[in-house]
Amino acid sequence: MSLFERVADAFREPGADDEPEADVTDPDDAVGSGDDPAYEPAARDADERTAAVVAVCQQAPDGVRTYTIEIDAGDADGAEITEVAPGLLEAHFEVVEGGVGTDHVTVRAVDFRGEARTVEAETLVGVRFAEPVSLSDVRMRLLGAEDHGGDTLPSEWFRISAVK
């Protein structure tokens, strides 16, 4: 089973939303609506370790037409990326920078087929590391995201979560 399939299963299981989330969006670089803070630290265990993370769009009533996301675990021991798996928009998904063999990755995807006209808790990208890393060392930076109407999606709708 691929990383994406495991992640998709995790998000479809009853009670999956009861797990603690780790929102580690970088406040200085996040794209947001400007109405609310782009960053709210989530309560998380500083010792929590994970071998894989996923970037998730929690909601997007008008869908996701395009996104660019960076995931960086540069400060973590064993942070070498071994797999990058597309999520919702896999047909037009690409690694722009980094990826397998590095400690960071920048990915982007575009919805040319209308696959993501509405979104409720959908995985956008999954990343697996060579060894479990401290979740507090992993950072997600939303470089840009637009809905199908051309509006910028607020960063508050995106999060990064550990894959159990």
Side-chain angles (χ1 to χ4, degrees):
M1 184 181 289
S2 74
L3 173 63
F4 176 70
E5 291 167 333
R6 287 189 299 263
V7 169
D9 286 344
F11 278 97
R12 288 188 183 97
E13 290 178 15
D17 293 332
D18 297 336
E19 295 293 320
E21 297 173 357
D23 181 355
V24 291
T25 305
D26 188 335
D28 297 325
D29 298 315
V31 175
S33 63
D35 298 332
D36 298 311
Y39 177 72
E40 280 186 37
R44 61 181 163 188
D45 183 357
D47 295 330
E48 183 179 0
R49 299 183 70 77
T50 184
V53 295
V54 291
V56 176
C57 180
Q58 298 174 171
Q59 66 175 349
D62 292 326
V64 176
R65 187 181 64 81
T66 183
Y67 69 83
T68 304
I69 293 174
E70 178 184 83
I71 296 175
D72 187 348
D75 294 336
D77 292 331
E80 180 182 333
I81 294 172
T82 60
E83 182 181 1
V84 178
L88 180 64
L89 301 177
E90 61 184 296
H92 298 282
F93 174 90
E94 67 178 326
V95 173
V96 178
E97 183 180 327
V100 175
T102 68
D103 61 5
H104 70 282
V105 65
T106 302
V107 298
R108 67 177 164 213
V110 179
D111 184 6
F112 288 122
R113 298 188 208 171
E115 298 164 303
R117 288 278 179 197
T118 58
V119 172
E120 291 183 30
E122 295 286 344
T123 297
L124 301 177
V125 61
V127 174
R128 179 165 299 284
F129 301 105
E131 299 176 26
V133 297
S134 173
L135 189 55
S136 62
D137 288 335
V138 181
R139 298 281 182 247
M140 179 184 83
R141 190 168 73 160
L142 179 64
L143 301 176
E146 290 184 356
D147 65 17
H148 284 274
D151 294 324
T152 299
L153 296 174
S155 61
E156 296 85 19
W157 291 357
F158 297 82
R159 73 172 194 270
I160 193 164
S161 293
V163 176
K164 303 279 182 201

